Amino acid sequence: MAEITEWPVERRNAEGRIIEILGNVGDVGLEILSIIKQNDLPLEFPPQVIEASKRVPKSIKQSELEGRRDLRDLPIVTVDGDDAKDLDDAVYVKQLGKDEFLLGVHIADVSYYVKENAVLDKEARERGTSVYLVDRVLPMLPERLSNGICSLNAGEDRLTMSCEMHIDRKGRILSYEIFPSVIHVRHRLSYRIVREILVNGDEELAQKYEDVVPMLKMMEELCLVLRKKRTTRGAIDFDLPEQKVILDEQGRPVEIVQRIRSIAESIIEEFMLAANETVARHMFNQKWPFIYRVHDLPNEEKMKDLAKLLANFNVKLKVSEETKPGEVQKALAEMAGKPEERLVSTVALRSLKQAVYQTENIGHFGLAAEYYTHFTSPIRRYPDLIVHRLLHEWVSDPAMKCQKKREAGTEP
């Protein structure tokens, strides 16, 4: 790492002084460290942030449960990657009669521990997100929170914000509730475990988790219902392969494998999408200030270029000022199984605009969703943390009476 002392002018090169040596060429992890430094990512938390995190309790007091719905008796589970440590979402499904389900999505209530403008909050705001690298995670919050009291670890009581949805066989949300809660995760499942039980029929694992196997089968059923609903309305699903780098004990890469995408990943994906849409729709209808995750209509010229590419494979894409996501989805579906499928999917993805956070709701093109937000990852995404704060404000003052009084000058 060098600090520039003299900038280049005319024929004179830049001059500087070395301020840090990262290591020698060939050192294990040097490439990752270089990426971290190049992007100015923080490796450590400042001492005052660590001290603030130490003041956060490791367990929940009885007094903290006031105003929360007690869901600790429910067989709620988490489903994540084998090596995940910051578990911020847990799920539960129950059959309601023959043709309806109750889906509960329970998200770590990080906002209870990270108060606005406190030391922890300012550091999290500065970082914005957790950063996941091949050999490490640079967390948004100190480990005592991200892997501790805010992580929905099995066998521990945890404070959560819950979204419970009553869903029919067509994927329609008939009713819902959003409320603060306390849960006790029954099992910490992984995608691999769920895949082995549901897809491969692993008897040993099925016996080990026999108390939740019927629920896992219901989850699979509901996942397919929700996926069909999304597909029907025109949501675009880019099924591009992802790779994972396998490291040895010394941190050296030894293998690159393709991530397996199965029903286990789809279950969590569909459940989180349902909760995010429900929360966004709710806050929009409440006419509350809110943060949405939006995805604008694609650029018409880029869509025309994509249509030209697809025409080479005898696939038609209707392009207009307001191209519908279903039209892109249909065109990509016609490419399924062809040798050029991955190429076309990549070009299509790059033809779309990037999703962003903003306070004005314009919908989400890629998901074909009228309302969408990110409610489900407050441990690792700062906007989600703000979403939780707004939800707490709504729970305590749904009519915004306090805010209206402040604006009128009748309350400090």
Side-chain angles (χ1 to χ4, degrees), residues 244-305:
K244 182 177 181 179
V245 180
I246 307 298
L247 306 177
D248 63 16
E249 292 179 359
Q250 285 74 44
R252 294 187 177 89
V254 292
E255 189 180 4
I256 299 176
V257 298
Q258 186 165 317
R259 287 184 185 272
I260 299 174
R261 179 178 164 83
S262 68
I263 187 64
E265 288 81 359
S266 293
I267 285 171
I268 298 303
E269 181 180 292
E270 294 298 339
F271 290 2
M272 296 306 115
L273 289 172
N276 284 334
E277 285 189 49
T278 300
V279 169
R281 183 188 302 109
H282 171 79
M283 294 300 271
F284 182 86
N285 289 338
Q286 294 292 310
K287 297 180 172 57
W288 260 71
F290 202 56
I291 291 181
Y292 299 92
R293 179 73 170 172
V294 303
H295 190 210
D296 205 352
L297 295 172
N299 178 279
E300 190 176 349
E301 288 304 313
K302 287 190 175 182
M303 283 291 100
K304 286 179 179 178
D305 290 339

Side-chain angles (χ1 to χ4, degrees), residues 31-92:
E31 293 85 355
I32 300 298
L33 188 56
S34 298
I35 291 169
I36 290 170
K37 293 291 184 179
Q38 186 176 346
N39 289 279
D40 199 24
L41 299 174
L43 274 168
E44 306 289 342
F45 284 97
Q48 66 270 26
V49 175
I50 296 297
E51 284 303 312
S53 72
K54 288 179 180 177
R55 292 193 290 271
V56 175
K58 288 186 175 182
S59 58
I60 297 166
K61 297 176 183 176
Q62 185 64 31
S63 60
E64 295 176 302
L65 304 186
E66 187 177 345
R68 292 181 179 272
R69 194 174 301 182
D70 193 339
L71 306 177
R72 287 176 290 184
D73 289 338
L74 298 180
I76 294 169
V77 299
T78 60
V79 184
D80 293 271
D82 281 300
D83 51 358
K85 295 182 177 65
D86 51 351
L87 316 177
D88 47 17
D89 56 79
V91 291
Y92 166 74

Side-chain angles (χ1 to χ4, degrees), residues 168-181:
D168 69 9
R169 289 259 172 206
K170 293 185 178 179
R172 294 177 299 196
I173 295 175
L174 306 177
S175 62
Y176 65 87
E177 285 187 275
I178 301 167
F179 53 89
S181 55

Side-chain angles (χ1 to χ4, degrees), residues 143-249:
E143 189 174 332
R144 185 179 173 104
L145 282 85
S146 62
N147 295 2
I149 192 66
C150 291
S151 183
L152 305 182
N153 301 327
E156 301 283 348
D157 289 353
R158 289 292 184 260
L159 303 182
T160 45
M161 282 295 288
S162 296
C163 178
E164 284 190 347
M165 294 153 279
H166 182 182
I167 306 172
D168 69 9
R169 289 259 172 206
K170 293 185 178 179
R172 294 177 299 196
I173 295 175
L174 306 177
S175 62
Y176 65 87
E177 285 187 275
I178 301 167
F179 53 89
S181 55
V182 56
I183 67 170
H184 187 95
V185 171
R186 182 77 57 87
H187 295 295
R188 189 268 197 244
L189 302 177
S190 67
Y191 296 127
R192 176 185 56 81
I193 290 171
V194 174
R195 182 170 64 247
E196 288 297 324
I197 292 173
L198 293 180
V199 179
N200 299 327
D202 189 300
E203 292 184 8
E204 187 177 338
L205 286 173
Q207 188 172 356
K208 183 177 179 180
Y209 300 105
E210 61 180 347
D211 58 326
V212 294
V213 167
M215 182 174 72
L216 292 179
K217 291 179 179 178
M218 266 187 276
M219 287 181 175
E220 179 179 15
E221 199 175 347
L222 178 56
C223 168
L224 297 176
V225 166
L226 292 171
R227 186 197 290 171
K228 183 178 179 181
K229 175 194 172 186
R230 274 202 314 120
T231 303
T232 301
R233 77 184 185 195
I236 307 168
D237 188 10
F238 291 102
D239 194 13
L240 294 170
E242 290 183 50
Q243 279 69 41
K244 182 177 181 179
V245 180
I246 307 298
L247 306 177
D248 63 16
E249 292 179 359

